[in-house]
PDB file of all heavy atoms in Angstrom:
ATOM      1  N   VAL A  14       9.417  25.345   7.191  1.00 97.00           N
ATOM      2  CA  VAL A  14       8.307  26.188   7.611  1.00 97.00           C
ATOM      3  C   VAL A  14       7.185  25.237   8.193  1.00 97.00           C
ATOM      4  O   VAL A  14       6.646  25.516   9.291  1.00 97.00           O
ATOM      5  CB  VAL A  14       7.760  26.965   6.385  1.00 97.00           C
ATOM      6  CG1 VAL A  14       6.450  27.690   6.736  1.00 97.00           C
ATOM      7  CG2 VAL A  14       8.782  27.896   5.815  1.00 97.00           C
ATOM      8  N   LYS A  19       4.088  23.277  12.823  1.00 96.00           N
ATOM      9  CA  LYS A  19       3.666  22.056  13.553  1.00 96.00           C
ATOM     10  C   LYS A  19       3.975  22.124  15.055  1.00 96.00           C
ATOM     11  O   LYS A  19       3.265  21.810  15.844  1.00 96.00           O
ATOM     12  CB  LYS A  19       4.167  20.752  12.914  1.00 96.00           C
ATOM     13  CG  LYS A  19       3.384  20.225  11.761  1.00 96.00           C
ATOM     14  CD  LYS A  19       3.873  18.862  11.342  1.00 96.00           C
ATOM     15  CE  LYS A  19       3.125  18.413  10.142  1.00 96.00           C
ATOM     16  NZ  LYS A  19       2.836  17.031  10.082  1.00 96.00           N
ATOM     17  N   TYR A  25      -0.302  32.006  16.834  1.00 96.00           N
ATOM     18  CA  TYR A  25       0.090  32.539  15.505  1.00 96.00           C
ATOM     19  C   TYR A  25       1.448  32.984  15.426  1.00 96.00           C
ATOM     20  O   TYR A  25       2.037  33.492  16.425  1.00 96.00           O
ATOM     21  CB  TYR A  25      -0.844  33.802  15.343  1.00 96.00           C
ATOM     22  CG  TYR A  25      -2.241  33.451  14.911  1.00 96.00           C
ATOM     23  CD1 TYR A  25      -3.239  33.198  15.856  1.00 96.00           C
ATOM     24  CD2 TYR A  25      -2.630  33.223  13.586  1.00 96.00           C
ATOM     25  CE1 TYR A  25      -4.525  32.754  15.582  1.00 96.00           C
ATOM     26  CE2 TYR A  25      -3.918  32.789  13.223  1.00 96.00           C
ATOM     27  CZ  TYR A  25      -4.866  32.682  14.232  1.00 96.00           C
ATOM     28  OH  TYR A  25      -6.040  32.278  13.859  1.00 96.00           O
ATOM     29  N   LEU A  35      13.934  31.074  10.537  1.00 96.00           N
ATOM     30  CA  LEU A  35      14.367  30.075   9.522  1.00 96.00           C
ATOM     31  C   LEU A  35      15.366  30.704   8.520  1.00 96.00           C
ATOM     32  O   LEU A  35      15.804  29.992   7.606  1.00 96.00           O
ATOM     33  CB  LEU A  35      13.172  29.563   8.731  1.00 96.00           C
ATOM     34  CG  LEU A  35      12.038  28.917   9.710  1.00 96.00           C
ATOM     35  CD1 LEU A  35      10.875  28.597   8.835  1.00 96.00           C
ATOM     36  CD2 LEU A  35      12.691  27.691  10.247  1.00 96.00           C
ATOM     37  N   THR A  51      -1.716  24.159  -0.365  1.00 96.00           N
ATOM     38  CA  THR A  51      -2.202  23.329  -1.611  1.00 96.00           C
ATOM     39  C   THR A  51      -1.885  21.890  -1.321  1.00 96.00           C
ATOM     40  O   THR A  51      -2.463  21.020  -2.003  1.00 96.00           O
ATOM     41  CB  THR A  51      -1.499  23.862  -2.893  1.00 96.00           C
ATOM     42  OG1 THR A  51      -0.123  23.500  -2.837  1.00 96.00           O
ATOM     43  CG2 THR A  51      -1.741  25.159  -3.303  1.00 96.00           C
ATOM     44  N   LEU A  74       1.910  11.993   2.198  1.00 97.00           N
ATOM     45  CA  LEU A  74       3.171  12.717   1.988  1.00 97.00           C
ATOM     46  C   LEU A  74       4.306  11.929   2.715  1.00 97.00           C
ATOM     47  O   LEU A  74       4.113  11.460   3.905  1.00 97.00           O
ATOM     48  CB  LEU A  74       3.037  14.164   2.445  1.00 97.00           C
ATOM     49  CG  LEU A  74       2.099  14.946   1.664  1.00 97.00           C
ATOM     50  CD1 LEU A  74       1.619  16.185   2.287  1.00 97.00           C
ATOM     51  CD2 LEU A  74       2.773  15.318   0.281  1.00 97.00           C
ATOM     52  N   GLY A  81       6.142   8.921  13.116  1.00 90.00           N
ATOM     53  CA  GLY A  81       5.270   7.986  13.941  1.00 90.00           C
ATOM     54  C   GLY A  81       5.457   6.550  13.366  1.00 90.00           C
ATOM     55  O   GLY A  81       4.760   5.681  13.825  1.00 90.00           O
ATOM     56  N   LYS A  85      11.562  -0.917  11.730  1.00 96.00           N
ATOM     57  CA  LYS A  85      13.017  -0.765  11.853  1.00 96.00           C
ATOM     58  C   LYS A  85      13.535  -0.338  10.433  1.00 96.00           C
ATOM     59  O   LYS A  85      14.454   0.436  10.282  1.00 96.00           O
ATOM     60  CB  LYS A  85      13.633  -2.038  12.271  1.00 96.00           C
ATOM     61  CG  LYS A  85      13.492  -2.351  13.753  1.00 96.00           C
ATOM     62  CD  LYS A  85      14.470  -3.421  14.113  1.00 96.00           C
ATOM     63  CE  LYS A  85      13.776  -4.499  14.961  1.00 96.00           C
ATOM     64  NZ  LYS A  85      13.368  -5.714  14.460  1.00 96.00           N
ATOM     65  N   THR A 100       3.389   3.198  -9.858  1.00 98.00           N
ATOM     66  CA  THR A 100       4.346   3.146  -8.764  1.00 98.00           C
ATOM     67  C   THR A 100       5.261   1.919  -9.027  1.00 98.00           C
ATOM     68  O   THR A 100       6.497   1.865  -8.690  1.00 98.00           O
ATOM     69  CB  THR A 100       3.757   3.172  -7.366  1.00 98.00           C
ATOM     70  OG1 THR A 100       2.926   1.974  -7.270  1.00 98.00           O
ATOM     71  CG2 THR A 100       3.018   4.370  -7.015  1.00 98.00           C
ATOM     72  N   TRP A 142      -2.179   3.775  -3.340  1.00 98.00           N
ATOM     73  CA  TRP A 142      -1.431   3.019  -4.357  1.00 98.00           C
ATOM     74  C   TRP A 142      -0.031   3.117  -4.092  1.00 98.00           C
ATOM     75  O   TRP A 142       0.538   4.192  -4.039  1.00 98.00           O
ATOM     76  CB  TRP A 142      -1.683   3.592  -5.830  1.00 98.00           C
ATOM     77  CG  TRP A 142      -3.136   4.086  -6.018  1.00 98.00           C
ATOM     78  CD1 TRP A 142      -3.555   5.247  -6.454  1.00 98.00           C
ATOM     79  CD2 TRP A 142      -4.379   3.264  -5.932  1.00 98.00           C
ATOM     80  NE1 TRP A 142      -4.922   5.292  -6.532  1.00 98.00           N
ATOM     81  CE2 TRP A 142      -5.454   4.127  -6.246  1.00 98.00           C
ATOM     82  CE3 TRP A 142      -4.638   1.977  -5.688  1.00 98.00           C
ATOM     83  CZ2 TRP A 142      -6.735   3.667  -6.297  1.00 98.00           C
ATOM     84  CZ3 TRP A 142      -5.984   1.520  -5.614  1.00 98.00           C
ATOM     85  CH2 TRP A 142      -6.993   2.380  -6.088  1.00 98.00           C
ATOM     86  N   THR A 179     -11.563  -8.447   6.786  1.00 98.00           N
ATOM     87  CA  THR A 179     -11.583  -8.712   5.284  1.00 98.00           C
ATOM     88  C   THR A 179     -11.301 -10.197   5.135  1.00 98.00           C
ATOM     89  O   THR A 179     -10.713 -10.855   6.066  1.00 98.00           O
ATOM     90  CB  THR A 179     -10.409  -7.991   4.614  1.00 98.00           C
ATOM     91  OG1 THR A 179      -9.202  -8.270   5.219  1.00 98.00           O
ATOM     92  CG2 THR A 179     -10.648  -6.526   4.658  1.00 98.00           C
ATOM     93  N   SER A 205      22.064 -15.511  -9.460  1.00 90.00           N
ATOM     94  CA  SER A 205      22.694 -16.810  -8.906  1.00 90.00           C
ATOM     95  C   SER A 205      21.847 -17.437  -7.734  1.00 90.00           C
ATOM     96  O   SER A 205      22.377 -17.529  -6.688  1.00 90.00           O
ATOM     97  CB  SER A 205      24.184 -16.684  -8.613  1.00 90.00           C
ATOM     98  OG  SER A 205      24.417 -15.349  -8.091  1.00 90.00           O
ATOM     99  N   ILE A 226     -15.900   2.200 -11.002  1.00 97.00           N
ATOM    100  CA  ILE A 226     -14.921   1.206 -11.329  1.00 97.00           C
ATOM    101  C   ILE A 226     -15.534  -0.142 -11.851  1.00 97.00           C
ATOM    102  O   ILE A 226     -15.043  -0.720 -12.795  1.00 97.00           O
ATOM    103  CB  ILE A 226     -13.943   0.920 -10.077  1.00 97.00           C
ATOM    104  CG1 ILE A 226     -13.242   2.259  -9.645  1.00 97.00           C
ATOM    105  CG2 ILE A 226     -12.863  -0.124 -10.447  1.00 97.00           C
ATOM    106  CD1 ILE A 226     -12.220   2.096  -8.647  1.00 97.00           C
ATOM    107  N   GLU A 268       9.352 -13.306   9.832  1.00 97.00           N
ATOM    108  CA  GLU A 268       8.913 -14.746  10.005  1.00 97.00           C
ATOM    109  C   GLU A 268       9.496 -15.437   8.768  1.00 97.00           C
ATOM    110  O   GLU A 268       9.885 -16.545   8.845  1.00 97.00           O
ATOM    111  CB  GLU A 268       7.402 -14.788  10.132  1.00 97.00           C
ATOM    112  CG  GLU A 268       6.961 -14.361  11.490  1.00 97.00           C
ATOM    113  CD  GLU A 268       5.433 -14.212  11.697  1.00 97.00           C
ATOM    114  OE1 GLU A 268       4.713 -14.443  10.674  1.00 97.00           O
ATOM    115  OE2 GLU A 268       5.096 -13.893  12.794  1.00 97.00           O
ATOM    116  N   LYS A 276       3.521 -20.710  10.465  1.00 97.00           N
ATOM    117  CA  LYS A 276       2.831 -19.616  11.243  1.00 97.00           C
ATOM    118  C   LYS A 276       1.990 -18.742  10.268  1.00 97.00           C
ATOM    119  O   LYS A 276       0.896 -18.521  10.469  1.00 97.00           O
ATOM    120  CB  LYS A 276       3.861 -18.727  11.911  1.00 97.00           C
ATOM    121  CG  LYS A 276       3.476 -18.238  13.300  1.00 97.00           C
ATOM    122  CD  LYS A 276       4.723 -17.566  13.837  1.00 97.00           C
ATOM    123  CE  LYS A 276       4.370 -16.825  15.099  1.00 97.00           C
ATOM    124  NZ  LYS A 276       5.631 -16.372  15.775  1.00 97.00           N
ATOM    125  N   GLY A 299      -5.035 -26.044 -18.687  1.00 85.00           N
ATOM    126  CA  GLY A 299      -6.632 -26.132 -18.672  1.00 85.00           C
ATOM    127  C   GLY A 299      -7.293 -25.758 -17.378  1.00 85.00           C
ATOM    128  O   GLY A 299      -6.626 -25.291 -16.392  1.00 85.00           O
ATOM    129  N   VAL A 325      -1.758 -25.811  -7.732  1.00 95.00           N
ATOM    130  CA  VAL A 325      -1.648 -24.699  -8.653  1.00 95.00           C
ATOM    131  C   VAL A 325      -0.866 -23.595  -8.026  1.00 95.00           C
ATOM    132  O   VAL A 325      -1.029 -23.290  -6.913  1.00 95.00           O
ATOM    133  CB  VAL A 325      -3.102 -24.202  -9.010  1.00 95.00           C
ATOM    134  CG1 VAL A 325      -3.037 -22.982  -9.908  1.00 95.00           C
ATOM    135  CG2 VAL A 325      -3.925 -25.314  -9.620  1.00 95.00           C
TER     136      VAL A 325
END
Side-chain angles (χ1 to χ4, degrees):
V14 173
K19 278 188 179 213
Y25 280 90
L35 302 174
T51 64
L74 296 159
K85 284 194 229 102
T100 58
W142 324 122
T179 55
S205 36
I226 300 184
E268 284 169 3
K276 215 168 166 176
V325 179

